[in-house]
């Protein structure tokens, strides 16, 4: 059932006022791929009256159409930072918006969190707390580099004049906050929250020790200070427990409580087992077609998190490095629901996550313990199969990466579990084909001697439509190291593995020779540390090994609070060494044209 968006809908529910009003920069799709829908349905399932105002008209009093909430306002820019939604890497305005009805980018303001908060305060003086959430708030929670301004900005809490910020995946924190506000309890000890204080908080037995980050004023005037501050902030995000981080802004302090405890598989199942309609709300549907529906309506999320930790990616800081996988039962039940939708044609458009083949993966020494049971009789999978990942308290390694410079021997990949899941979903009545559309880590496939090739054959045989998309990002080993990606030898090895699988499938007449499968590649130009020399190396690699001109080449976009953005601003690598950074707009375009003709 949809959450109400109008007073008429609230009257039908016999509500005088909602407990919580969620404001979003995206249109309202009741989908497990839309953060506002997830948080709204989760709070609703736990007894709170939640309403939604999506893409409010900033030129009118639209944001006030439901009145004032009883507990708090929840404000989000949407699925992406509003500047990423609105501008290209060369700061050109994007005319299209897949999450706006009609597809025209005319309903999402720049700095959406700030604009919506100011509108709320304009119409409601001394209102209930304004709580920021979502990617824009999460990645701008501390002092950060802003590409649009080409300068450092304060925490968005100060600039938006909001009361509270929930960072990361917000289900636990938002529910704890709603309960605390309803019961009149103290909320400043909730994990995953940021708030503003006039004084430094003292060490807390519940939240642990306190660490102070370099102040806004110190960072603003000194790139060395910003480099040190970011390193401390990013390092804390890798810890399992984390500290209370404090950052001075003029005469006040930003206080970031330690990150929220990671969801268990059972908790993640409960969130995705909610009864989503998977439709655009009728109030917004009448405004035009929403293109994103084509991608997400028949797709399924199998897990959260990514331990790849690419330096240009925001997942580590926002969603987390630890992978939490849903149970096979939960995924299959969601697939069954999809098959019952009236316009389902038999195709699951994606079964994956941030990185599809991380489903079921974990660390045998750290954050997971494999629970084993004898395999059913007749199954050709050896003597045992893993059935559950039980989370431990070790967290991710602070000074070691799972996949860079090479795969950690403690990493247990889950290709066998995803093969089984893919096969079971494919076998459901009404399902013709299950696609993998989200990204895969080809280096994990190469490193998995037991199931890597079998997994690749499964993908090529049954789960791609002629092409498999991979993202090497670059092939120059110096640039790859700055990205936190493995060297180019693994790419060449994977290409050879793919061609071998392709040839085998054609020999078996599974793939006709006239429809040979092929790889498509995604690359990044003008990444920090990449000059024309390194792009020429990439150009030569493509000519020798790929024998094609990639069409998917994007210029690096500095997004808030990623390691690569710190490199871009400070012009140094993660060890503090000076690097070349291309900042001229024309030269960035030139680098792209060297690859994408």
């Amino acid at each position: 059932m949809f959450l109400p968006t109008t007073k008429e809908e609230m009257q039908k529910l016999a509500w005088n006022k909602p407990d919580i009003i969620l404001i979003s920069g995206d249109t309202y799709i009741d989908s497990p791929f839309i953060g506002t829908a997830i948080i709204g349905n989760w709070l609703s399932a736990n007894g709170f009256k939640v309403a939604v105002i999506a893409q409010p008209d900033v030129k009118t009093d639209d944001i006030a159409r439901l009145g004032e909430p009883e507990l708090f306002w929840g404000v989000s820019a949407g699925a992406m930072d509003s500047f990423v939604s609105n501008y290209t890497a060369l700061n050109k305005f994007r005319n299209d918006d897949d999450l706006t009805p009609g597809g025209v980018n005319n309903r999402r303001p720049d700095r959406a969190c700030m604009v919506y908060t100011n509108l709320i305060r304009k119409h409601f003086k001394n209102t209930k707390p304004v709580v920021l959430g979502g990617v824009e708030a999460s990645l701008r929670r501390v002092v950060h580099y802003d590409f649009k301004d080409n300068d450092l900005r304060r925490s968005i809490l100060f600039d938006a004049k909001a009361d509270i910020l929930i960072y990361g995946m917000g289900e636990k924190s938002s529910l704890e906050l709603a309960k605390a506000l309803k019961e009149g309890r103290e909320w400043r000890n909730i994990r995953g929250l940021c708030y503003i204080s006039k004084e430094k908080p003292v060490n807390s037995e519940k939240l642990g020790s306190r660490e102070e980050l370099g102040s806004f004023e110190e960072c603003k005037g000194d790139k060395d200070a910003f480099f040190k501050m970011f390193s401390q902030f990013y390092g804390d995000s890798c810890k399992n427990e984390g500290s209370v981080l404090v950052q001075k802004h003029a005469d006040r302090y930003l206080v970031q409580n330690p990150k929220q405890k990671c969801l268990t598989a059972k908790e993640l199942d409960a969130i995705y087992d909610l009864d989503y309609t998977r439709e655009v709300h009728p109030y917004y549907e009448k405004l035009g077609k929403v293109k994103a529906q084509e991608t997400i309506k028949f797709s399924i999320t199998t897990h959260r998190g990514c331990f790849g930790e690419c330096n240009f990616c925001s997942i580590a800081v926002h969603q987390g490095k630890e992978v939490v996988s849903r149970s096979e039962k939960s995924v299959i039940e969601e697939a069954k629901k999809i098959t019952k939708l009236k316009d389902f044609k038999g195709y699951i458009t994606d079964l994956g996550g941030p990185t599809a083949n991380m489903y079921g993966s974990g660390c045998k020494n750290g954050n997971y313990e494999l629970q084993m049971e004898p395999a059913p009789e007749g199954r050709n999978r050896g003597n045992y199969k893993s059935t559950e990942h039980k989370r431990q308290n070790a967290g991710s390694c602070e000074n070691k990466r799972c996949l860079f410079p090479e795969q950690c021997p403690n990493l247990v990949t889950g290709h066998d579990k995803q093969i089984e899941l893919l096969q079971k979903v494919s076998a459901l009545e009404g399902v013709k084909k299950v696609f993998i559309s989200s990204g895969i880590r080809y280096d994990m496939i190469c490193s998995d001697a037991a199931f890597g090739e079998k997994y690749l054959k499964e993908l090529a045989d049954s789960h791609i439509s002629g092409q498999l998309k991979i993202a090497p990002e670059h092939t120059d080993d110096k640039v790859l190291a700055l990205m936190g990606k493995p060297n180019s030898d693994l790419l060449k090895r994977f290409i050879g593995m793919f061609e071998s699988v392709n040839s085998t499938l054609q020999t078996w007449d599974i793939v006709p020779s006239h429809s040979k499968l092929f790889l498509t590649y995604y690359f990044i130009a003008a990444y920090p540390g990449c000059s024309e020399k390194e792009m020429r190396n990439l150009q030569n690699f493509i000519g020798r090994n790929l024998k094609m001109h990639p069409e998917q080449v994007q210029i690096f976009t500095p997004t808030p609070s990623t390691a690569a953005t710190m490199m871009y601003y400070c012009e140094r690598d993660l060890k503090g060494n000076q690097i070349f950074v291309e900042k001229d707009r024309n030269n960035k375009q030139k680098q792209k044209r060297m690859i994408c003709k």
Side-chain angles (χ1 to χ4, degrees), residues 184-195:
R185 293 187 284 106
E186 176 58 60
W187 51 263
R188 289 173 180 81
N189 56 9
I190 295 174
R191 286 178 169 269
L193 294 191
C194 298
Y195 61 92

Side-chain angles (χ1 to χ4, degrees), residues 71-133:
L71 298 178
F72 68 85
W73 301 86
V75 173
S76 167
M80 293 186 285
D81 185 277
S82 54
F83 273 116
V84 176
S85 295
N86 289 349
Y87 296 91
T88 70
L90 297 178
N91 261 324
K92 294 181 180 179
F93 186 77
R94 298 184 191 273
N95 295 316
D96 302 326
D97 189 336
D98 290 352
L99 283 162
T100 294
V104 179
N105 189 13
N106 58 4
R107 295 182 64 88
R108 188 193 308 275
D110 293 348
R111 308 199 190 282
C113 285
M114 294 169 56
V115 172
Y116 295 151
T117 301
N118 289 335
L119 279 173
I120 290 168
R121 298 205 182 281
K122 175 182 176 181
H123 292 287
F124 300 97
K125 306 299 181 185
N126 301 316
T127 188
K128 302 295 182 178
V130 178
V131 182
L132 304 183

Side-chain angles (χ1 to χ4, degrees), residues 170-231:
E171 293 92 353
K172 280 189 174 183
S173 298
S174 59
L175 181 56
E176 288 182 30
L177 177 63
K179 289 179 177 178
L181 292 174
K182 184 177 182 178
E183 297 166 10
R185 293 187 284 106
E186 176 58 60
W187 51 263
R188 289 173 180 81
N189 56 9
I190 295 174
R191 286 178 169 269
L193 294 191
C194 298
Y195 61 92
I196 295 171
S197 175
K198 292 182 180 179
E199 298 177 351
K200 294 181 185 179
V202 296
N203 287 349
S204 161
E205 184 176 335
K206 183 172 183 178
L207 296 178
S209 61
R210 186 195 74 211
E211 290 186 23
E212 190 160 356
L213 301 176
S215 70
F216 170 67
E217 287 74 21
E218 290 170 341
C219 293
K220 179 82 170 175
D222 185 352
K223 289 186 178 181
D224 289 341
F226 178 73
F227 175 87
K228 180 180 178 181
M229 184 282 297
F230 179 84
S231 300

Side-chain angles (χ1 to χ4, degrees), residues 413 415-416 419 444-455:
T413 52
H415 291 127
D416 56 332
I419 290 170
M444 288 178 61
I445 295 175
C446 290
S447 299
D448 186 356
F451 293 101
E453 186 173 356
K454 183 178 179 181
Y455 176 74

Side-chain angles (χ1 to χ4, degrees), residues 376-390:
E377 191 174 343
R379 297 301 298 272
N380 185 23
R381 296 186 60 225
N383 295 324
Y384 295 96
K385 73 169 184 175
S386 59
T387 59
E388 180 187 359
H389 280 155
K390 184 177 180 182

Side-chain angles (χ1 to χ4, degrees), residues 306-320:
C306 177
F307 46 73
E309 203 177 351
C310 300
N311 289 330
F312 50 80
C313 182
S314 63
I315 292 176
V317 176
H318 176 63
Q319 196 170 125

Side-chain angles (χ1 to χ4, degrees), residues 1 4 6-16 281-282:
M1 186 176 75
T6 65
K7 281 202 168 182
E8 290 74 21
E9 291 172 85
M10 290 200 304
Q11 287 168 0
K12 290 179 181 178
L13 296 170
W15 293 5
N16 291 324
H281 189 284

